[in-house]
Amino acid sequence: MVIEKKLLDLFQEQIRNEFESAYKYLGMAAYFESTPYKGFAKWMRKQASEEMEHAMKFFDYVNDRGNHVELFPLISMPTHYTSPLEVFRETLEHEQQVTHLIHEMYRVALEIQDFAAQVLLQWYIIEQVEEEKQAQDILSQIETTGDSIAALMKIDSKVGKRKD
Ligand code: OFO
């Protein structure tokens, strides 16, 4: 059963949003690559691949429901930042915005009684809890370092061990 236009439009936009998230995190990885913080760079690369997986999950779903995928242009992303603190503040803020978008899609899926889409979106709702938690955890650790580069490097090394 095809997805109703009202929800389909949001799904199409979300494919772009997820790719833009990947692009945003790649920009952050590029920034970290130009600093000693190679662990944060690695974390951002992993985060970018995860966002591409999120995009492809929507891509496949739109196809599976018999709709035709549209791909919209991506905007350019910054690769210059001033500190890890700035980057992770922005990461958390970004994930909170994504959560809001996912909730809005879920609200529409409820409104039009698209039960199958609700199940798909429940996966993203749970995923967003994890995404926000990860960003918040790293941000909180960075906030405790004050001016200590040594403490920051320690967090960088720990964060760089991210597996998935
Ligand atoms: Fe960072 O989250 Fe996608 O959906």
Side-chain angles (χ1 to χ4, degrees), residues 123-160:
W123 183 89
Y124 283 92
I125 290 169
I126 302 294
E127 180 69 8
Q128 279 311 115
V129 172
E130 188 57 28
E131 295 272 282
E132 283 192 34
K133 181 189 180 308
Q134 283 181 348
Q136 180 66 71
D137 282 354
I138 299 171
L139 177 60
S140 305
Q141 289 175 53
I142 292 174
E143 279 170 345
T144 64
T145 59
D147 289 333
S148 167
I149 303 285
L152 206 46
M153 288 305 289
K154 233 175 164 177
I155 299 169
D156 172 75
S157 147
K158 202 170 84 189
V159 161

Side-chain angles (χ1 to χ4, degrees), residues 14 18 21 25 47 50-51 54 58 94-95 98 102 124 127-128 131:
Q14 194 59 22
E18 298 288 350
S21 294
Y25 293 132
Q47 187 69 8
E50 206 173 88
E51 298 301 349
H54 293 170
F58 275 117
H94 179 70
E95 288 304 331
V98 174
I102 302 282
Y124 283 92
E127 180 69 8
Q128 279 311 115
E131 295 272 282

Side-chain angles (χ1 to χ4, degrees), residues 47-94:
Q47 187 69 8
S49 341
E50 206 173 88
E51 298 301 349
M52 284 187 257
E53 283 171 24
H54 293 170
M56 291 312 295
K57 204 173 164 77
F58 275 117
F59 180 101
D60 288 338
Y61 190 77
V62 169
N63 274 317
D64 289 349
R65 289 281 300 268
N67 295 92
H68 186 90
V69 168
E70 304 289 345
L71 291 176
F72 303 126
L74 303 181
I75 55 166
S76 68
M77 289 292 167
T79 58
H80 295 274
Y81 291 90
T82 55
S83 65
L85 182 64
E86 183 197 14
V87 173
F88 279 94
R89 272 192 185 140
E90 195 168 317
T91 299
L92 178 59
E93 213 172 276
H94 179 70

